[in-house]
Amino acid sequence: MGIKVSAVGHALGERVLTNHELAQHIDTSHEWILERTGITQRYISDHKNTSDLGTQALKNACERYNLDPQSIDAIIVATMTPDHFTPSTASLIQAKMGLNPLKIMAFDVNVACSGFVVGLDLASALLESKRFKRIAIIGAEVFSKILDWNDRTTCILFGDGAGAMIIDYDESAPPCVCVNHSEGDLDGTLRACGVPLLQEDARPLILSMQGKDVYRFAVDVIPSVMQECAQKAKLTLESLDHVILHQANQRIMDYAMKRLNLDLSKSISNIAKVGNTSAASIPLAISMALLDGSLHHGESVMVVGFGGGLSYGAASFTL
Ligand code: COA
């Protein structure tokens, strides 16, 4: 059984924030950020929350492909910056799109930057069950609301955005092969605090990260999970048309491609323009690359997520 990608769309925060602007407020420079991360700017959402960007991305997908939103059976939103604990961001998007409540199942997954790959894994399994025909997977984040804008080791990395991919069950399409893993992190390698049991333990909802540890984790797991996914899909990594890695750091992406002896030009990257948008990064990169012509429908791709959890996963499918 296979999946067919029926539509892809995206949305970005409305304000561009350049490295130069950041350097006016914190002790950093455009050159440092560019050299260490590949980022030159990111988009910040001042007025739209995560469900607004997710709705905008889903509408963009439906409009670009002339697809009726009422034909969607389920919405899965990958996010670690939801509007609320409840209702889910997916339920808010369903309401904002005016989708038929009797037909649709909507829920969020929080697997940080691996969330889109986990959402795709779940969606493929739901389609395979044949209870659903068409599912929207949306990665949406407004990371700017959980950043400490005085912490130069984190605030330079992230941006706000959303990407949506609508997939259908299609007997004749190639399969979507997914692998996902979790290495529980009790040490706070990458953490945004939630609600503590005791009020005196309450801390602000701010992202903290041991950047070097995350870097080491990423360059270790990306090649292995890609090889595992390729093996499961019975294909070689060299045969893929493109690889879309979670856009965390250009150096991480280049290192992983080189370690696997893969052509760097096969790696899709939009990090220079949008920074790290966490769960949104993979569908956002796909959507922007389809628009600028560096990706095409019908091509074979592998997407790779990694990050908080610590979590990592990969999925191979035809775009
Ligand atoms: N501007 C200028 N200097 C900075 C800086 C900034 N924004 N951030 C850190 N520095 C300084 C450090 O204080 C350190 O100074 P010191 O040598 O005097 O102590 C120096 O630059 C080197 O810092 P280091 O942390 O070793 O840099 P790095 O090369 O590891 O790059 C990251 C830092 C965060 C870019 C990198 O570790 C990274 O990308 N990690 C992965 C993070 C990530 O992707 N997270 C999300 C996962 S989904």
Side-chain angles (χ1 to χ4, degrees):
M1 105 97 197
I3 68 152
K4 179 173 175 285
V5 175
S6 305
V8 184
H10 73 268
L12 290 163
E14 63 271 26
R15 176 167 59 94
V16 172
L17 177 64
T18 64
N19 292 349
H20 292 291
E21 288 170 278
L22 271 174
Q24 289 169 9
H25 301 287
I26 50 169
D27 183 14
T28 191
S29 66
H30 167 70
E31 291 71 25
W32 192 96
I33 301 172
L34 181 61
E35 190 199 319
R36 302 289 177 122
T37 69
I39 299 167
T40 64
Q41 62 168 48
R42 68 287 294 140
Y43 289 80
I44 302 296
S45 181
D46 295 315
H47 305 293
K48 290 177 182 157
N49 211 339
T50 306
S51 68
D52 301 312
L53 291 184
T55 303
Q56 213 178 312
L58 185 54
K59 275 189 184 156
N60 178 249
C62 293
E63 282 162 14
R64 265 163 66 180
Y65 291 79
N66 201 17
L67 182 148
D68 178 7
Q70 297 297 346
S71 62
I72 296 169
D73 302 317
I75 299 177
I76 302 175
V77 174
T79 186
M80 63 171 277
T81 55
D83 299 22
H84 313 292
F85 285 131
T86 196
S88 72
T89 315
S91 294
L92 292 174
I93 293 174
Q94 176 243 323
K96 288 177 184 187
M97 294 285 293
L99 301 186
N100 184 351
L102 294 178
K103 186 179 166 197
I104 205 152
M105 178 170 75
F107 61 94
D108 290 1
V109 293
N110 174 353
V111 203
C113 305
S114 309
F116 182 78
V117 181
V118 171
L120 186 56
D121 198 343
L122 287 171
S124 303
L126 290 172
L127 291 176
E128 209 167 331
S129 77
K130 299 197 181 166
R131 288 183 51 215
F132 299 86
K133 288 198 179 104
R134 172 165 283 175
I135 300 181
I137 312 138
I138 303 168
E141 304 277 18
V142 176
F143 239 76
S144 58
K145 67 189 175 186
I146 65 160
L147 292 175
D148 174 353
W149 287 99
N150 294 312
D151 177 4
R152 67 177 184 171
T153 66
T154 52
C155 76
I156 56 144
L157 294 170
F158 297 94
D160 302 335
M165 193 160 100
I166 299 173
I167 62 173
D168 294 354
Y169 176 76
D170 184 341
E171 199 78 59
S172 61
C176 175
V177 177
C178 306
V179 289
N180 276 294
H181 300 295
S182 173
E183 269 185 30
D185 165 32
L186 298 176
D187 301 326
T189 310
L190 205 163
R191 178 188 283 165
C193 290
V195 184
L197 185 61
L198 302 173
Q199 196 56 39
E200 56 262 36
D201 294 335
R203 277 182 270 169
L205 206 177
I206 291 294
L207 180 88
S208 64
M209 181 182 71
Q210 306 302 321
K212 267 198 188 315
D213 292 341
V214 178
Y215 194 101
R216 275 190 221 105
F217 165 75
V219 295
D220 186 37
V221 298
I222 298 168
S224 66
V225 81
M226 286 178 69
Q227 278 162 334
E228 183 188 353
C229 185
Q231 209 168 12
K232 192 172 168 194
K234 297 188 175 57
L235 53 80
T236 62
L237 291 172
E238 294 72 23
S239 71
L240 292 166
D241 292 319
H242 291 287
V243 173
I244 302 106
L245 296 165
H246 164 49
Q247 311 281 303
N249 184 321
Q250 190 63 48
R251 281 161 59 214
I252 294 178
M253 294 191 266
D254 292 350
Y255 179 88
M257 294 296 283
K258 279 184 199 148
R259 182 133 161 237
L260 290 163
N261 284 322
L262 296 176
D263 187 349
L264 275 183
S265 67
K266 286 191 174 184
S267 172
I268 296 296
S269 175
N270 66 351
I271 191 168
K273 287 188 187 147
V274 304
N276 178 348
T277 57
S278 186
S281 89
I282 291 171
L284 187 55
I286 293 175
S287 179
M288 290 173 74
L290 282 166
L291 282 180
D292 75 20
S294 37
L295 268 181
H296 304 92
H297 285 290
E299 291 180 325
S300 62
V301 299
M302 185 177 286
V303 296
V304 187
F306 54 88
L310 297 169
S311 58
Y312 59 106
S316 100
F317 58 97
T318 299
L319 198 53

